[in-house]
Amino acid sequence: MTATLTDVQFTFAGDIEAKGIGSEHEGWRQHLERTLGRDHVIHQSGLPHRDTAPLYWRSAVNWMPYRPTLPFVRACSPLKLTDGLASGRPILSADVPKCRRYPEWVTTYEGAAEASARLSMLLDEADTPRAAEHRANQIGAARRQTCSARAEQL
């Protein structure tokens, strides 16, 4: 997607490791290096989770490019999701189970072409009055996601 949306600045935060990458992903490291080497891509490694909130709030869209076929991804509850929700910014994610719990706040995709199209759509709508109202509602919803509210629900 970074190859097709060259007018969009991408920021990837965190350390990217190749742990668990098997032989079916030959060339993964080269692909990563090509992607992170693009002029419109920034990689901030070594950033502790506690320091990532400003990235979510400064972004026009928060993209979670998971590979949904990995067993770990299917079972995880990504911290990025709750951080993204709290920012009020649109969230674009691969179709992972946890994101399906928030269909009004998370736009999901299957495949690179759909991700690219949905990211473009979300960016085009980012500065509209409708987006501002959605942002306020999303922040309000995130504030209601507390441990006590979850306990009552369970």
Side-chain angles (χ1 to χ4, degrees):
M1 187 155 43
T2 60
T4 58
L5 296 173
T6 57
D7 58 330
V8 175
Q9 180 180 315
F10 290 87
T11 301
F12 293 99
D15 296 325
I16 303 172
E17 298 292 329
K19 294 175 186 171
I21 300 293
S23 61
E24 71 273 15
H25 301 290
E26 292 296 327
W28 180 85
R29 175 68 56 193
Q30 292 81 8
H31 180 71
L32 174 67
E33 289 171 4
R34 270 193 318 274
T35 299
L36 296 181
R38 295 182 188 283
D39 290 339
H40 64 288
V41 175
I42 297 169
H43 178 219
Q44 293 186 325
S45 64
L47 191 66
H49 177 257
R50 69 179 177 272
D51 296 336
T52 59
L55 292 177
Y56 292 98
W57 287 80
R58 283 194 308 257
S59 298
V61 175
N62 290 297
W63 175 37
M64 299 189 301
Y66 294 111
R67 175 170 269 160
T69 56
L70 296 176
F72 173 78
V73 171
R74 285 196 307 268
C76 79
S77 179
L79 284 173
K80 290 193 285 186
L81 176 59
T82 53
D83 291 345
L85 287 170
S87 75
R89 302 303 189 263
I91 300 169
L92 178 65
S93 175
D95 188 13
V96 298
K98 181 70 172 185
C99 292
R100 291 184 204 138
R101 292 187 60 201
Y102 306 98
E104 65 275 25
W105 312 121
V106 180
T107 301
T108 59
Y109 65 87
E110 293 182 27
E114 186 177 7
S116 181
R118 291 189 179 213
L119 179 57
S120 293
M121 175 198 69
L122 291 169
L123 288 169
D124 288 346
E125 296 173 356
D127 292 326
T128 65
R130 182 177 172 275
E133 180 181 351
H134 190 268
R135 188 168 28 258
N137 291 335
Q138 182 176 315
I139 291 170
R143 285 187 175 139
R144 292 188 296 276
Q145 297 294 317
T146 64
C147 291
S148 58
R150 181 66 68 200
E152 280 185 39
Q153 196 176 42
L154 294 174

